Amino acid sequence: MRSQYAVAIHILSMIALNPQRTFSSEDLASSVGTHAVVIRSIVKLLRAAGLVETHQGVAGIHLTHKPEELTLLQVYRAVDAPESVFRLHERPNPQCSVGGNILDTLGSVFGGAQEVLDDYLAKVTLADVMSDLARRIG
């Protein structure tokens, strides 16, 4: 399964690097290497978060923010935040000394790790991604 987050950044990068071009979900799917249905589902999440706009019956997806104003944290929250990287298991045995306490322990550890991740992603913009891509593309 592809990361919706990585695909979302790929989609946004394609649009931002080619502002005069109108991309269809099929165009983006070709670049990502997936099916257009996957692209449409991710674009729907990005649109719901206010990061892109689309118009029914009109091809094209447009950014609603300048690349230097759009952080990777915003993208992460748009597509992956409900499914945090740091997930707890659901039903440890409460009668076990470890099982009865592990969720509180891991909740603290994972919460701290999520904060570090969020702080880092808040400092990286789509413009930073575009800059690195432009350097690699040549």
Side-chain angles (χ1 to χ4, degrees):
M1 180 173 177
R2 287 177 171 69
S3 165
Q4 288 186 333
Y5 182 51
V7 173
I9 296 170
H10 188 138
I11 291 167
L12 295 170
S13 296
M14 286 284 291
I15 295 166
L17 285 169
N18 302 281
Q20 295 83 13
R21 183 166 172 199
T22 301
F23 288 100
S24 67
S25 54
E26 289 77 14
D27 295 329
L28 295 167
S30 176
S31 178
V32 171
T34 192
H35 195 278
V37 171
V38 173
I39 300 300
R40 285 191 288 272
S41 70
I42 294 172
V43 168
K44 183 178 178 180
L45 294 171
L46 294 171
R47 185 179 59 234
L51 304 183
V52 299
E53 61 183 15
T54 61
H55 301 284
Q56 190 170 358
V58 179
I61 304 159
H62 306 281
L63 298 179
T64 58
H65 297 72
K66 295 177 182 174
E68 57 274 8
E69 297 170 351
L70 179 57
T71 71
L72 295 193
L73 180 60
Q74 291 171 284
V75 180
Y76 174 76
R77 287 182 173 161
V79 297
D80 280 341
E83 296 296 326
S84 172
V85 176
F86 305 103
R87 292 181 220 149
L88 296 171
H89 53 305
E90 293 181 18
R91 291 181 287 256
N93 181 351
Q95 304 305 315
C96 170
S97 60
V98 173
N101 295 290
I102 194 69
L103 293 181
D104 290 336
T105 297
L106 290 179
S108 176
V109 171
F110 289 0
Q114 187 70 52
E115 284 180 32
V116 171
L117 176 62
D118 289 355
D119 288 346
Y120 179 77
L121 294 177
K123 295 174 188 169
V124 181
T125 67
L126 184 59
D128 297 325
V129 172
M130 293 169 55
S131 176
D132 189 72
L133 281 169
R135 182 182 59 79
R136 292 172 189 274
I137 293 168

